[in-house]
Amino acid sequence: MVRGSLMHAARLGAGAAAVIAVLGLSGCAFNPLSTFTTPTIDQIERETVTPTVSDDALVTPGTLTVALDTSDAPQAMQDADGNLTGYAVDAARALACRMGLKVAFVDASSADSALSDKKADIFIGDVRSTDGDISSLGTCLYDAPAVFGKSSDGESLSVSTETLNTATLGVQTSSASQEALAKQSITANQKTFSNINECFEALESGEVDYVICDSTAGGYLARLMSQISYVGTLEAPSTLGVAGLSSNDELCRAVSDALDGITVDGTLEAVHCVWYGQMPYDLTAKTVSGANVQASDSTSNETESSDGDASDNNGDSPSSSQEGAITDDDINKLNS
């Protein structure tokens, strides 16, 4: 449904190269050859990384078992071949690599259900509503209602709420992004669409001036379009976190240290670039001028509820977020 496959391939190639280069810092990449040639598989020498946690602290010896919502596209989803893929999946792989472990995945809707029953070692997702037995070990993704625009020269765009009020905005019908516009008192002309793909097609064709949507879904689609880019957020971002069982102190410490490591050395940001293109990792760094981005309990709860409803991918919820409009079929078409 979205054009720009060549740009998509180029960005993925550059991002993948960045991931490989950064992972070399954690002992998971090949040793460079003396010539500027691409090494064959047989020539790749992988370093042995000593596990940072004992087998007794793991559900499965030698393996970091990660629980996540496998329907939360594009953070986690099934590809055309039925394999699990997505940003959170690759982030988990990088985390396991840093810890010197293999990685395995299980489907779970919450940290409590996955960790309390010892189905997994860690959970990646919304960890702010967990009970006292679950510890938050850090953040691996920021998400918020965001603005995307088109620039013919490819330069970075800058807009204000005043600019948006005089523009035509593309937005998914009955979405969290419409709620975000209302909270900012933006009363611009809105053109509503049934899904985010249609919003971006309208932006590309010039039917609308900007698209307001979930940042991760928008970033995922924008990477396919050379002239469309992230402009800024309208609210304080929510987070995708990593959680572990509080009683498993050894594992929690090892995961927390590894997460800090892949954040500081750029691994996590490189993975982010592969999945969300040029959208910044830290969404607090660029917001729409004039927007009230003060975090509030009501805003956080409504945003979390919308994102949760979106995991069904049916788009029928009164407050379903944009990422809910990206179904597995849509993802497969975009990746073809």
Side-chain angles (χ1 to χ4, degrees):
M1 296 178 66
V2 181
R3 294 174 292 280
S5 297
L6 291 179
M7 178 59 66
H8 167 54
R11 287 183 177 177
L12 282 183
V19 173
I20 291 173
V22 175
L23 286 179
L25 299 176
S26 60
C28 297
F30 58 82
N31 293 326
L33 300 181
S34 59
T35 59
F36 293 98
T37 58
T38 301
T40 66
I41 293 178
D42 292 336
Q43 290 173 320
I44 295 176
E45 298 178 7
R46 299 193 177 275
E47 300 177 14
T48 300
V49 180
T50 302
T52 59
V53 62
S54 67
D55 286 344
D56 291 340
L58 299 167
V59 171
T60 300
T63 300
L64 182 68
T65 305
V66 181
L68 39 71
D69 182 354
T70 59
S71 66
D72 183 25
Q75 284 68 256
M77 55 199 171
Q78 302 290 329
D79 65 16
D81 298 321
N83 299 314
L84 191 61
T85 186
Y87 170 78
V89 175
D90 283 350
R93 290 193 175 108
L95 192 60
C97 181
R98 174 57 63 95
M99 296 175 67
L101 301 171
K102 298 177 182 178
V103 66
F105 299 96
V106 296
D107 183 36
S109 59
S110 70
D112 294 328
S113 63
L115 302 181
S116 298
D117 294 339
K118 296 187 178 179
K119 297 177 182 177
D121 298 306
I122 62 172
F123 173 81
I124 296 181
D126 177 18
V127 300
R128 288 178 294 175
S129 59
T130 57
D131 61 32
D133 295 331
I134 308 299
S135 293
S136 175
L137 307 179
T139 295
C140 64
L141 180 66
Y142 295 88
D143 191 16
V147 180
F148 289 83
K150 183 178 180 180
S151 173
S152 58
D153 55 12
E155 292 185 358
S156 177
L157 297 171
S158 178
V159 302
S160 65
T161 53
E162 184 177 350
T163 304
L164 295 179
N165 260 323
T166 60
T168 299
L169 309 180
V171 64
Q172 180 180 320
T173 304
S174 301
S175 66
S177 295
Q178 280 192 312
E179 295 177 5
L181 288 172
K183 291 173 186 175
Q184 298 295 336
S185 298
I186 296 175
T187 57
N189 176 40
Q190 294 184 19
K191 285 196 174 183
T192 57
F193 301 88
S194 61
N195 58 61
I196 188 177
N197 305 73
E198 294 177 357
C199 291
F200 272 72
E201 288 174 350
L203 178 60
E204 190 177 42
S205 68
E207 184 180 350
V208 299
D209 299 311
Y210 300 97
V211 166
I212 315 299
C213 67
D214 178 89
S215 62
T216 57
Y220 181 84
L221 295 183
R223 64 185 185 152
L224 303 174
M225 301 174 174
S226 60
Q227 295 182 334
I228 295 178
S229 61
Y230 166 86
V231 176
T233 60
L234 289 173
E235 292 182 353
S238 59
T239 59
L240 197 75
V242 180
L245 200 60
S246 302
S247 59
N248 195 341
D249 183 66
E250 179 187 353
L251 179 64
C252 286
R253 288 178 180 274
V255 171
S256 181
D257 289 345
L259 182 58
D260 286 344
I262 65 174
T263 301
V264 171
D265 71 12
T267 300
L268 201 58
E269 191 165 355
V271 175
H272 189 275
C273 182
V274 171
W275 287 100
Y276 309 116
Q278 299 305 310
M279 186 175 74
Y281 171 75
D282 185 357
L283 295 185
T284 63
K286 188 176 182 182
T287 58
V288 173
S289 176
N292 179 9
V293 293
Q294 295 296 320
S296 66
D297 292 338
S298 59
T299 299
S300 298
N301 291 337
E302 289 178 14
T303 301
E304 290 168 15
S305 176
S306 297
D307 290 344
D309 294 338
S311 65
D312 293 333
N313 288 332
N314 55 25
D316 295 328
S317 170
S319 60
S320 62
S321 72
Q322 304 296 353
E323 64 182 319
I326 301 183
T327 65
D328 288 344
D329 288 339
D330 291 329
I331 296 284
N332 294 337
K333 289 176 184 176
L334 295 175
N335 288 334
S336 63

